[in-house]
């Protein structure tokens, strides 16, 4: 279990951890959602500091949008950008998979990343320290559903990173952890937002449905890049839902 925790943080974050045994990745995805908790912890500290020192919206928003990239090393944003390029190509699935593997950055990747970060900065500029619990649930839930999807969605690229994790994962443990994390996140959202918690929950469900449909139709299955795209888009939608819920 400890080895799985180390692999999860070594793979999906820039947080220094001791050396792990990479031959045993069975439980790594069970701890993937805890990376989201780490993101939420740093982000919550920042938003609370902004409240105390009365920082303006521009500083609050721009740093807030950048914090998840600092904590994760941008691994999910990399997938988001690659997927943006592939989707904009309007090519057959085989060609889209080749674009995902291309290390070059296309125009649509830059445009997509710019729009994402600008809009996320705008959302963060409107959130405060008291929103940290709802934000934390969003960051944990996105990774929970991403790990769960790996256990039942077909892989578009046998031998890829995601496929490697899927083949060695302990699926039963992932399902149990999904139920646990999902229940906690749902409880936290309702405790923090009341009835409006249905908005980020609905956003999460919609994101999952869209992810499966898009991955199967456009790529023939899921890949590591598509999983990154899913994490980023679901976080944006859920955080937007938190923002809207706070205004209702």
């Amino acid at each position: 279990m400890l080895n799985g925790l180390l692999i999860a943080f070594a793979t999906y974050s820039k947080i220094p951890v001791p050396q792990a045994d990479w031959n045993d990745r069975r439980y790594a995805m069970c701890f993937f959602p805890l990376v989201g908790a780490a993101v939420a912890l740093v982000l919550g500290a920042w938003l609370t500091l902004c409240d105390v020192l009365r920082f303006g919206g521009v500083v609050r928003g721009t740093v807030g949008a950048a914090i998840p990239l600092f904590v994760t090393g941008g691994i999910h944003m990399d997938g988001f950008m690659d997927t943006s390029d592939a989707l904009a190509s309007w090519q057959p699935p085989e060609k889209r998979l080749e674009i995902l593997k291309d290390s070059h950055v296309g125009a649509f990747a830059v445009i997509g990343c710019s729009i994402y970060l600008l809009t996320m900065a705008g959302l963060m500029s409107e959130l405060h320290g008291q929103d940290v619990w709802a934000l934390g649930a969003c960051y944990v839930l996105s990774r929970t559903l991403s790990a769960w999807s790996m256990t039942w969605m077909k892989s578009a690229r046998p031998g890829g990173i995601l496929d490697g994790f899927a083949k060695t994962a302990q699926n039963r443990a992932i399902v149990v952890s999904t139920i646990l994390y999902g229940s906690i996140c749902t409880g936290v959202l309702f405790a923090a937002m009341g009835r409006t918690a249905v908005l980020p929950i609905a956003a999460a469900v919609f994101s999952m449905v869209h992810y499966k449909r898009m991955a199967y139709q456009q790529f023939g299955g899921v890949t590591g890049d598509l999983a990154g795209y899913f994490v980023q888009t679901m976080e944006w939608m859920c955080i937007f839902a938190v923002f809207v819920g706070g205004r209702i």
Side-chain angles (χ1 to χ4, degrees):
M1 287 292 185
L2 177 59
N3 195 70
L5 174 65
L6 297 178
I7 291 177
F9 274 82
T11 304
Y12 296 108
S13 81
K14 283 296 183 179
I15 299 174
V17 296
Q19 181 64 38
D21 178 11
W22 286 85
N23 294 318
D24 185 5
R25 299 180 293 181
R26 291 174 296 167
Y27 299 102
M29 299 308 292
C30 297
F31 297 100
F32 179 35
L34 295 183
V35 177
V39 172
L41 183 63
V42 178
L43 186 57
W46 167 251
L47 293 177
T48 301
L49 180 65
C50 290
D51 289 343
V52 173
L53 299 182
R54 298 182 180 179
F55 287 166
V58 174
V59 175
R60 177 194 299 269
T62 52
V63 176
I67 282 175
L69 301 182
F70 289 141
V71 176
T72 64
I75 185 171
H76 307 303
M77 181 57 73
D78 176 71
F80 175 86
M81 295 177 69
D82 288 341
T83 304
S84 298
D85 266 340
L87 289 174
S89 69
W90 296 101
Q91 297 294 322
E94 296 78 11
K95 182 61 178 178
R96 288 194 177 100
L97 290 173
E98 293 179 12
I99 294 174
L100 291 181
K101 295 171 61 177
D102 192 346
S103 60
H104 295 87
V105 178
F108 290 100
V110 175
I111 293 171
C113 180
S114 299
I115 293 174
Y116 184 98
L117 291 178
L118 282 172
T119 53
M120 183 62 81
L123 291 174
M124 290 294 174
S125 69
E126 298 290 335
L127 299 176
H128 299 275
Q130 66 266 25
D131 299 310
V132 63
W133 292 104
L135 286 176
C138 294
Y139 284 107
V140 172
L141 189 57
S142 65
R143 287 160 176 79
T144 298
L145 296 182
S146 178
W148 176 58
S149 69
M150 186 189 72
T151 66
W152 60 277
M153 289 189 185
K154 66 178 180 180
S155 175
R157 184 184 294 150
I161 294 177
L162 187 70
D163 186 58
F165 271 97
K167 288 181 177 178
T168 59
Q170 175 54 258
N171 287 350
R172 181 176 297 179
I174 293 177
V175 171
V176 171
S177 66
T178 296
I179 296 173
L180 176 62
Y181 289 124
S183 300
I184 293 174
C185 289
T186 300
V188 168
L189 283 171
F190 275 103
M193 301 180 62
R195 293 178 299 174
T196 58
V198 297
L199 296 178
I201 293 173
V205 173
F206 174 82
S207 298
M208 174 61 76
V209 173
H210 169 71
Y211 173 45
K212 180 180 182 296
R213 182 177 181 183
M214 179 272 292
Y216 279 45
Q217 290 185 350
Q218 306 297 334
F219 297 90
V222 297
T223 70
D225 284 321
L226 295 180
Y229 176 88
F230 167 67
V231 169
Q232 293 289 169
T233 53
M234 180 181 160
E235 286 174 358
W236 190 96
M237 292 186 66
C238 287
I239 292 172
F240 178 75
V242 170
F243 164 71
V244 172
R247 301 301 186 277
I248 295 178

